[in-house]
Amino acid sequence: MKLDAPTLVIVTVFVMVVMGALYLLSWSQARRTLALGFLGAAQLLGAVAVILFGLRGLIPDWLSIGLANAVMLTAFGLIWGGARSFEGRRVPYLWIAAGPLAWLAACLVPPFYASLGARVILCSAIAGLSCALAARTLWHNRGERLPSRAPAAILLASEALLIWARIPANLVLPAPPTGMPGQTLWVAILCFVALLYTVAVSVLFMALAKERLEAEQRRAAETDPLTGIANRRALAAEAQRILAAGPAALLLFDLDHFKRVNDTFGHAAGDAVLVGFCALARQILPAGTAFGRLGGEEFACLLPGAGAAEAASVAETVRVAVSAMRPDLLPGLAVTVSIGVARRAGGPGTGDFESLLGLADRALYQAKAQGRDRVVLAGPGLRQVA
């Protein structure tokens, strides 16, 4: 069956309205993702623009040319705004409005309005720029690994190039047929391309929102809600990867007399101590360290490639720093930590995280038995470091 321009206009409008409604429905269920609202509005405005274009010859030209292109440029600007909102960047409302306002201002100039070529060049330049800026916004935030990010950026960049291609084409090719645009092959091609990009861009942005939500849920499942560091499950998984790759040392921390802190100063103070300890340890521990909370006041970190002496030195640095913690708002609160250190050669067949944790736990028990606030290194005849 041969699809003519009117059919493609109707199909394009229908798809845009459906996609816009889906975006707005998704936004109503996830208000934090404001980008979905921007993209939903862009799809609905795009549908309005296509309707106005399709009525060319049946309605005044200032509607089918002037207003239609202004609405379309606003839709492209909202796609850029949606991309920036998705990346947590400020939405440049004035710049988004600048494109359609510049178009409307140019349409007030009779020579410009009478020139099809001039209209095509200005409109294509603005619309392509919005797509290119949206692509650049997504591409420059590749640090957040979302599978659909690169395809979305590439698709928007290709759309920008395709729109910009109308500028040189307009200069070297004859003008498309005039009359009822719905009866021309030119309009049919434009509608078909718009339909393809509408579906592709919508699917990819929906996928981006879904992938980010899934990533946030994964992080929440692997993060201790109080301290913001890895929980036991996430730490164990990372530790297994580190141990399979090579030698590593485990530091097992236990905040001394923590129950007394809670009983004397309250649980809010106890929570503050836990958060403060984690913040301090993060500053001291080397890069690449796997650090997490095992539960209660017990924490552990795995130092990839560290020898016994290096691990003991890091542990002692943490111990000294913790003993120097003196919260100004809680006079009399003293915080110390006992640390057990164990090391394993790593690699296949050298044991798992739980067995290494058992060695460090025995060293930690000795540190507590010897008076706390000290570091003990596991091994034949457990050895106190300091």
Side-chain angles (χ1 to χ4, degrees):
M1 183 179 66
K2 182 179 179 180
L3 292 178
D4 59 0
T7 302
L8 284 171
V9 168
I10 294 172
V11 172
T12 302
V13 169
F14 176 77
V15 170
M16 284 184 165
V17 170
V18 170
M19 291 298 183
L22 288 175
Y23 270 127
L24 295 179
L25 178 61
S26 300
W27 177 48
S28 69
Q29 298 171 350
R31 290 284 182 173
R32 286 190 311 141
T33 313
L34 186 59
L36 296 174
F38 278 102
L39 295 167
Q43 294 293 339
L44 296 179
L45 287 176
V48 172
V50 172
I51 291 173
L52 293 174
F53 288 138
L55 294 176
R56 177 79 179 277
L58 301 176
I59 59 176
D61 284 353
W62 69 268
L63 287 175
S64 63
I65 296 177
L67 183 62
N69 281 287
V71 172
M72 182 196 67
L73 293 175
T74 303
F76 277 112
L78 289 176
I79 292 175
W80 175 37
R84 288 183 64 91
S85 176
F86 183 79
E87 301 301 343
R89 302 176 67 181
R90 183 182 61 83
V91 178
Y93 293 101
L94 291 178
W95 284 108
I96 290 174
L101 289 176
W103 164 261
L104 291 173
C107 286
L108 296 177
V109 180
F112 171 85
Y113 190 72
S115 171
L116 174 61
R119 296 202 307 266
V120 169
I121 290 172
L122 179 61
C123 194
S124 299
I126 297 172
L129 179 61
S130 294
C131 288
L133 290 172
R136 180 178 181 273
T137 299
L138 293 177
W139 187 259
H140 279 200
N141 288 273
R142 298 191 307 279
E144 181 188 17
R145 296 181 180 178
L146 302 177
S148 298
R149 177 183 296 282
I154 293 171
L155 183 70
L156 287 167
S158 70
E159 186 173 10
L161 292 175
L162 187 63
I163 293 172
W164 280 335
R166 296 181 64 199
I167 297 175
N170 175 76
L171 298 176
V172 299
L173 296 178
T178 58
M180 289 291 291
Q183 298 174 353
T184 67
L185 177 62
W186 180 257
V187 172
I189 293 173
L190 290 179
C191 285
F192 183 68
V193 172
L195 179 61
L196 292 180
Y197 272 102
T198 294
V199 174
V201 170
S202 296
V203 169
L204 285 173
F205 267 104
M206 286 288 192
L208 281 171
K210 178 175 177 289
E211 289 161 5
R212 173 171 287 174
L213 179 60
E214 291 175 347
E216 290 175 349
Q217 291 173 339
R218 272 196 308 273
R219 284 194 294 269
E222 296 175 351
T223 303
D224 176 62
L226 175 63
T227 61
I229 65 173
N231 58 21
R232 182 175 186 129
R233 181 175 66 178
L235 176 64
E238 180 65 17
Q240 287 299 124
R241 287 192 289 270
I242 292 174
L243 288 171
L250 178 68
L251 276 57
L252 183 60
F253 307 95
D254 188 279
L255 297 177
D256 298 326
H257 304 296
F258 187 72
K259 184 177 183 301
R260 186 186 303 169
V261 173
N262 280 332
D263 293 342
T264 304
F265 299 96
H267 287 280
D271 289 347
V273 168
L274 295 176
V275 172
F277 167 75
C278 290
L280 182 65
R282 276 174 158 173
Q283 294 177 4
I284 297 172
L285 294 174
T289 296
F291 179 48
R293 185 182 183 186
L294 299 178
E297 67 275 19
E298 199 166 66
F299 302 83
C301 77
L302 207 66
L303 303 175
E310 180 186 351
S313 174
V314 171
E316 178 62 13
T317 301
V318 174
R319 184 196 71 79
V320 171
V322 170
S323 65
M325 290 174 60
R326 291 291 182 271
D328 296 335
L329 299 180
L330 296 172
L333 173 59
V335 182
T336 60
V337 62
S338 299
I339 308 173
V341 181
R343 185 181 182 278
R344 177 149 289 163
T350 58
D352 59 11
F353 172 64
E354 293 299 330
S355 61
L356 182 60
L357 190 62
L359 290 174
D361 191 52
R362 287 197 288 274
L364 178 62
Y365 177 82
Q366 287 297 320
K368 292 180 178 180
Q370 294 173 18
R372 303 177 188 267
D373 189 22
R374 63 196 65 225
V375 176
V376 171
L377 181 63
L382 296 172
R383 178 165 60 89
Q384 179 179 329
V385 174

